[in-house]
Amino acid sequence: MTREGLEHLIRASAAVTDQYEFVIVGSQSILGAIPNPEAVFTMSAEADIYPLAAPELPDKIDGALGEGSQFHETYGYYAQGVGPDTAVLPSG
């Protein structure tokens, strides 16, 4: 996935959830800090995402933009709706 693809997923997630701030978890989060990383970092076709203010909405994202969806078939990448407990950082 490219930075443009991730931005597209964020816009599509906003349309589906009526939310406008998202947390990207996992390997594709690198695209926020490094817009054009080496190709090895863009091999994934999915981004783990959840709305910051409404983490209870990952099913909406999965249903509309998830693996096997029309979105996935059309664009070749997809969103996986996750929640805040998907990645937990150590304290401190």
Side-chain angles (χ1 to χ4, degrees):
M1 179 177 308
T2 64
R3 169 78 174 253
E4 292 78 20
L6 180 61
E7 290 173 353
H8 183 209
L9 277 177
I10 293 169
R11 288 190 307 273
S13 294
V16 168
T17 63
D18 201 30
Q19 298 293 308
Y20 299 96
E21 292 183 296
F22 294 87
V23 176
I24 309 299
V25 180
S27 62
Q28 297 314 299
S29 64
I30 192 172
L31 296 173
I34 304 171
N36 298 302
E38 294 180 36
V40 67
F41 296 107
T42 63
M43 294 176 65
S44 180
E46 58 91 14
D48 301 322
I49 184 172
Y50 69 89
L52 180 63
E56 70 278 4
L57 297 177
D59 290 342
K60 282 191 156 192
I61 293 171
D62 273 342
L65 310 171
E67 187 172 14
S69 67
Q70 183 65 45
F71 184 95
H72 181 200
E73 291 179 16
T74 301
Y75 298 106
Y77 50 85
Y78 62 95
Q80 181 171 359
V82 297
D85 296 332
T86 301
V88 179
L89 299 173
S91 61

